[in-house]
Every structure is written in structure tokens, then in C-alpha cells.
Amino acid sequence: MGITKAEYLKLLEQSQKANSQKRRSIDYEPICLLPQWTTERRGELTFYILPLVPTMNTYWRNVQGRVLISKEGRSYKKHVGALALRLGMPLLTGNVKVLIEYHRPQRRGDLDNRQKALLDTLKGIAYVDDEQIVEIHSRRFESPNDGKIIIAVEQSIHTLPF
């Protein structure tokens, strides 16, 4: 059983007030229980609606010269990966094409800034390895109060002319 979006936003607001001095990492488990994460059909493609991925500044950490996935990044990868599987995202082999729509809630952040973390999260879920990706199409939209990612991954059978 999930929580409503209003309940989640109230919890998030309380958490932000309690930790206004220091930014805490987000636990994506309650976020993934919200009912808006689903699929939609567009022609022959199935698009998966997922929570917005953390920025590169919060997904990765540099610890003693080693680059590691942060606590927030691990939470995103674990819970959103499980969500993608629950939504029925198939594991593809061979070359794949990825279509991504970023719906950002605030007018900040680069289009490419979250892409690597998202593609890393879907490794082993939508495709065996991210080296299978031969084509990526990304678009950004402004969506106040509604940050999300809409993504489709399909087998790529065509070669590009360049």
C-alpha cells in the first residue's frame, strides 16, 4: 500500500524544515510508493514514468580519490530499479535506443546532467550493459511541482547514416 502525493509532500516538507541547516539524502522508497509512477502507451512504444533522478552532484561522491555512488544514488538505484521491474520494463539484449523526457520542477539543471545516473540505474533492468546503447534522444520540459522522467527503451535495428 502506497501513500498519497499530499502525504508524501507533507512528509518531505517536515523533513526539509527539520534539516534546513544541512541537506539530507532522499530515501526514494516512499517516493516510489506514490501512485503516479506508471506506464503509458504511445503508438507501439511503452513509456515508463519514473521519479526524477538525483543530480550528478548528489548521485556521486568522491571519497579519498575514489568516485562512489552516494547514499541517495544507491537509494534511487535500488528503489527506482525495483519500480521499473514492477512496471514490467523488459531486459533487452543487443543494441538499444533510449528515449528520455525530463520534466523538471524548477528552472535549473542541464539536460545532460542527470542522464548518466539514469542510464546507470537501468543497467541490468532495461538492458544488460549500457554499452548496448547506440542511440539516445532526450528532451526537457518545464513541469512546476511535477518532476519526473518518462523513458522508453527499445531494440535498435537501424543504423544511423552518419
Side-chain angles (χ1 to χ4, degrees):
M1 173 158 168
I3 61 174
T4 66
K5 187 172 185 175
E7 291 171 328
Y8 167 71
L9 291 174
K10 185 176 180 180
L11 289 171
L12 184 62
E13 182 182 347
Q14 290 171 350
S15 174
Q16 288 173 343
K17 283 181 183 176
N19 300 297
S20 61
Q21 299 294 337
K22 183 178 176 185
R23 185 188 185 285
R24 284 187 48 193
S25 63
I26 296 173
D27 179 10
Y28 283 88
E29 184 176 20
I31 296 170
C32 289
L33 297 176
L34 295 173
Q36 72 253 32
W37 314 123
T38 185
T39 62
E40 65 180 47
R41 293 287 296 171
R42 297 182 191 171
E44 295 182 15
L45 286 177
T46 300
F47 283 79
Y48 300 87
I49 303 170
L50 303 172
L52 197 60
V53 68
T55 66
M56 294 302 286
N57 294 336
T58 58
Y59 190 84
W60 303 101
R61 286 287 176 253
N62 190 337
V63 179
Q64 297 178 354
R66 295 177 48 206
V67 178
L68 306 171
I69 299 176
S70 68
K71 182 179 178 181
E72 185 172 340
R74 290 190 308 271
S75 176
Y76 183 84
K77 191 170 185 164
K78 175 182 174 183
H79 298 297
V80 173
L83 173 63
L85 289 174
R86 277 197 313 271
L87 294 175
M89 188 176 278
L91 179 65
L92 300 175
T93 58
N95 293 340
V96 297
K97 175 170 63 172
V98 181
L99 309 167
I100 307 168
E101 291 180 6
Y102 292 94
H103 294 258
R104 65 182 188 173
Q106 300 171 344
R107 292 188 57 98
R108 61 187 170 120
D110 299 336
L111 175 62
D112 63 335
N113 197 15
R114 298 174 189 242
Q115 193 163 282
K116 175 65 177 155
L118 174 64
L119 298 176
D120 183 53
T121 296
L122 295 176
K123 181 179 171 181
I125 295 165
Y127 35 81
V128 178
D129 192 80
D130 51 3
E131 73 178 9
Q132 293 171 244
I133 301 170
V134 295
E135 195 174 340
I136 299 173
H137 298 269
S138 298
R139 292 175 42 178
R140 185 188 74 210
F141 298 90
E142 307 302 325
S143 299
N145 304 317
D146 192 26
K148 62 187 171 190
I149 292 176
I150 302 175
I151 184 167
V153 181
E154 67 174 335
Q155 205 74 44
S156 178
I157 54 174
H158 302 290
T159 56
L160 298 176
F162 47 88

